[in-house]
Amino acid sequence: MNVSIDDDLWSAVGDPTRRRMLDLLLADGTGTATTLSDRLPVTRQAVAKHLGVLDRVGLVHGTPSGRERLYSVDEAQLARAVAQLSTVRDAWDGRLQRIKRMAEAIQTQTQRQERGN
């Protein structure tokens, strides 16, 4: 699978508060800035700004609900984020395996040299 990496998306989910907000929205189904701020150690205004970031990258969508907006997670965009994470994981697994092989080769060569001296 060839998945391009969306830096804006990963910048958005790179923040621990936004990840916690996504967790809460996934668990509850929906939430407003007020209901989320009641469960997070940040102000309602900060939550609203974080929701704006998540909305811009498409991870959440808000619909008017009285004087607030009711937010829910966009499951298709979340699946896209998971696919991107899998691509990054696979790339790093390959890199780490190459580093491991190089380190093992160096160790083997060093041991041979020590036995030869």
Side-chain angles (χ1 to χ4, degrees):
M1 176 190 304
N2 186 13
V3 177
S4 65
I5 303 303
D6 183 337
D7 289 332
D8 290 337
L9 176 66
W10 285 102
S11 178
V13 295
D15 182 275
T17 300
R18 289 192 281 265
R19 287 194 307 273
R20 179 70 180 127
M21 290 169 62
L22 288 170
D23 288 342
L24 292 170
L25 289 171
L26 285 167
D28 298 344
T30 61
T32 65
T34 301
T35 61
L36 290 169
S37 68
D38 289 343
R39 299 173 66 191
L40 295 166
V42 294
T43 65
R44 186 205 171 284
Q45 291 80 10
V47 168
K49 287 183 182 182
H50 284 299
L51 286 168
V53 171
L54 293 171
D55 191 26
R56 277 192 299 281
V57 298
L59 281 169
V60 300
H61 295 292
T63 56
S65 176
R67 294 176 10 161
E68 292 204 71
R69 293 184 67 75
L70 190 62
Y71 288 89
S72 60
V73 175
D74 182 312
E75 293 182 20
Q77 184 71 331
L78 184 60
R80 183 173 164 248
V82 169
Q84 289 181 22
L85 182 58
S86 294
T87 298
V88 170
R89 181 200 62 221
D90 293 345
W92 274 102
D93 282 350
R95 290 176 185 136
L96 291 172
Q97 285 301 317
R98 287 190 298 276
I99 290 169
K100 179 182 178 193
R101 285 192 301 271
M102 288 173 17
E104 289 170 344
I106 290 169
Q107 182 180 18
T108 301
Q109 183 180 11
T110 301
Q111 289 171 345
R112 285 183 186 151
Q113 288 173 349
E114 289 173 352
R115 282 185 290 221
N117 289 331

